[in-house]
C-alpha cells in the first residue's frame, strides 16, 4: 500500500477561508473584530519567524493584530505589567507570548498571569483542566490541528486504537486527552508512550492512528507500523540548510519507508505544521465570540 498524503497546507487554507467569512459576518452584524496581541522577547530567528507568521495570518483574516516586541532584557515585572494591561484591553481577545522565554523569566508565572479567557494557546492550568474534564473553551493549537486533519480526511476516530509517542505538555498529553474525550471527533482508545515505555513497537503496532511527537528523527520506522495505519508526524527536525539558506526539515517518522505501509500519512513539512497557526486564529475568533456573549 502507498499512503495517501494528508495535505495540511490545503486543509489549513480551507479553515482560514471559513474563519475569514465568519469575521466578515461578525463585523457586519455585531461590529465585532477579533483582536490578537503577539508578544516577543528578544530576536531568536525561529521565534521571530513563528510570531511574524501569526501576526501576518491574523491581519489576513481581518483580525485586529497588535505586535509587541520587547528587548531580551525585559524584566519579569515589566512583562507581567504588560500582560495585566492586555488582560484589561477590550480590543484584545487573545494574548500570545512566544515561547521559549529568556532564562531570567519565570515562564510559568507569565503563563499563569494571562487571563484564561484570553489564553488562546490554551496553556493556562484553567484551560488544561477544562480540557481534562471535557469542558474546554479552547484546545491547544497543535493537537487541535491534528484532530482537524483526522476529521477532515475522513479518518474514523470513534473506537479507534490511537497510540501517541511523546508526552510533552504542548502535544503528547493534550492530543491523548482530546482524542479520549466523550465527543464527536474523539471517543478513541488512547495509549500514551514515552521514553520509558518498554517495547515501544509492541504498542505502535496496534495503532489504527499513530501520532508521533517524539522529537527524534526516525523514532518510528516501518517495522513499527501496522499495515493500513494512519500516521501523523508532528516532528520538526532540522537536518541541514539548502544552498539558498532555507532550513531542511524532516519529521520523527521514517517517511519513505512508512508511506509504503500506512493508508494515510502527513508529510513534513506541509502536514501538521500549517495547522498550528490556523488553530490559533480559530481560538482567537472563539475568544472574541465568548467575550461578546456570542458563543
Ligand atoms: N513556541 C513554540 N510553539 C509555541 C506555541 O504554540 N505557542 C507559544 N506561545 N509559543 C510557542
Amino acid at each position: 500500500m502507498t499512503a495517501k498524503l494528508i495535505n495540511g497546507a490545503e486543509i489549513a487554507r480551507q479553515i482560514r477561508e471559513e474563519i475569514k467569512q465568519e469575521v466578515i459576518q461578525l463585523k457586519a452584524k455585531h461590529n465585532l473584530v477579533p483582536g490578537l496581541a503577539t508578544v516577543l522577547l528578544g530576536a531568536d530567528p525561529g521565534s521571530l519567524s513563528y510570531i511574524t507568521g501569526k501576526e501576518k495570518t491574523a491581519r489576513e483574516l481581518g483580525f485586529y493584530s497588535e505586535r509587541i516586541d520587547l528587548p531580551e532584557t525585559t524584566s519579569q515585572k515589566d512583562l507581567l505589567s504588560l500582560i495585566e494591561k492586555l488582560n484589561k484591553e477590550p480590543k484584545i481577545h487573545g494574548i500570545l507570548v512566544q515561547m521559549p522565554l529568556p532564562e531570567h523569566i519565570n515562564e510559568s508565572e507569565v503563563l499563569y498571569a494571562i487571563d484564561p479567557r484570553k489564553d488562546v494557546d490554551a496553556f493556562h492550568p484553567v484551560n488544561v483542566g477544562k480540557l481534562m474534564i471535557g469542558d474546554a473553551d479552547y484546545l491547544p493549537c497543535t493537537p487541535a490541528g491534528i484532530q482537524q486533519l483526522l476529521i477532515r480526511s475522513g479518518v474514523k476516530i470513534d473506537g479507534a486504537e490511537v497510540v501517541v509517542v511523546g508526552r510533552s505538555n504542548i502535544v503528547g498529553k493534550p492530543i491523548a486527552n482530546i482524542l479520549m474525550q466523550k465527543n464527536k471527533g474523539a471517543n478513541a482508545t488512547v495509549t500514551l508512550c514515552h521514553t520509558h515505555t518498554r517495547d515501544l513497537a509492541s504498542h505502535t503496532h496496534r495503532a489504527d492512528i499513530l501520532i508521533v511527537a517524539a522529537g527524534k528523527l526516525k523514532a518510528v520506522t516501518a517495522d513499527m507500523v501496522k499495515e493500513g495505519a494512519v500516521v501523523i508526524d508532528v516532528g520538526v527536525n532540522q537536518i541541514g540548510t539548502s544552498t539558498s539558506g532555507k532550513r531542511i526539515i524532516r519529521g520523527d517518522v521514517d517517511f519513505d519507508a512508512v508511506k509504503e505501509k500506512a493508508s494515510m500519512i502527513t508529510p513534513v513539512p506541509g502536514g501538521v505544521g500549517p495547522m498550528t497557526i490556523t488553530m490559533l486564529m480559530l481560538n482567537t475568533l472563539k475568544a472574541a465570540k465568548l467575550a461578546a456573549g456570542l458563543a
Side-chain angles (χ1 to χ4, degrees):
M1 181 180 295
T2 298
K4 179 176 170 284
L5 287 190
I6 298 178
N7 186 342
E10 174 53 24
I11 295 172
R13 196 196 57 74
Q14 284 167 15
I15 299 174
R16 284 202 297 272
E17 193 50 43
E18 291 163 20
I19 297 172
K20 208 166 169 178
Q21 293 310 318
E22 198 170 342
V23 171
I24 292 170
Q25 294 293 321
L26 276 182
K27 202 166 184 175
K29 284 195 193 150
H30 303 282
N31 198 27
L32 177 64
V33 178
L36 176 67
T38 47
V39 181
L40 175 67
L41 262 66
D44 170 73
S47 292
L48 202 59
S49 148
Y50 277 128
I51 208 157
T52 303
K54 289 166 186 175
E55 183 207 7
K56 182 167 159 269
T57 308
R59 272 191 277 105
E60 281 168 5
L61 299 185
F63 290 13
Y64 169 69
S65 173
E66 203 168 303
R67 162 83 175 261
I68 300 144
D69 281 283
L70 298 171
E72 191 167 353
T73 51
T74 303
S75 68
Q76 178 88 9
K77 186 163 159 281
D78 287 351
L79 182 56
L80 292 175
S81 309
L82 170 69
I83 291 170
E84 199 46 48
K85 196 176 114 225
L86 294 170
N87 280 343
K88 291 194 190 118
E89 173 55 59
K91 277 200 297 200
I92 296 296
H93 304 101
I95 302 170
L96 182 132
V97 180
Q98 186 65 32
M99 307 286 166
L101 288 165
E103 290 250 319
H104 67 280
I105 299 283
N106 178 337
E107 220 162 73
S108 302
E109 197 184 2
V110 171
L111 288 181
Y112 297 5
I114 296 173
D115 184 330
R117 291 169 295 187
K118 297 192 178 189
D119 168 40
V120 284
D121 265 325
F123 290 166
H124 191 289
V126 165
N127 288 320
V128 176
K130 288 185 92 166
L131 166 59
M132 186 74 133
I133 61 173
D135 185 29
D137 296 314
Y138 312 116
L139 298 179
C141 302
T142 300
I146 294 169
Q147 187 188 34
Q148 283 303 313
L149 286 179
L150 293 170
I151 292 171
R152 288 173 186 249
S153 303
V155 176
K156 188 173 180 298
I157 305 172
D158 198 303
E161 291 282 344
V162 171
V163 176
V164 178
V165 184
R167 56 178 156 182
S168 70
N169 288 335
I170 298 186
V171 183
K173 284 183 205 162
I175 191 61
N177 211 329
I178 289 168
L179 296 181
M180 73 172 69
Q181 294 296 326
K182 202 169 188 173
N183 267 337
K184 261 180 77 181
N187 281 316
T189 304
V190 181
T191 305
L192 184 70
C193 300
H194 47 74
T195 45
H196 288 225
T197 296
R198 265 189 287 131
D199 194 1
L200 178 61
S202 71
H203 296 282
T204 58
H205 245 289
R206 292 193 349 268
D208 302 313
I209 301 170
L210 178 58
I211 300 172
V212 189
K216 200 174 119 199
L217 265 177
K218 299 199 181 178
V220 166
T221 47
D223 56 309
M224 298 166 73
V225 177
K226 182 171 82 172
E227 191 77 38
V230 174
V231 178
I232 305 290
D233 188 349
V234 195
V236 182
N237 303 292
Q238 183 174 354
I239 59 157
T241 311
S242 73
T243 44
S244 61
K246 268 186 77 173
R247 297 185 332 140
I248 303 172
I249 301 295
R250 294 287 179 273
D252 291 348
V253 172
D254 183 3
F255 180 82
D256 290 332
V258 171
K259 79 175 187 329
E260 299 305 326
K261 242 178 149 180
S263 61
M264 292 190 204
I265 190 166
T266 58
V268 178
V272 175
M275 294 296 288
T276 301
I277 292 183
T278 299
M279 302 319 285
L280 176 73
M281 301 302 140
L282 204 57
N283 281 345
T284 306
L285 174 64
K286 175 99 182 272
K289 290 198 287 184
L290 284 170
L294 297 170

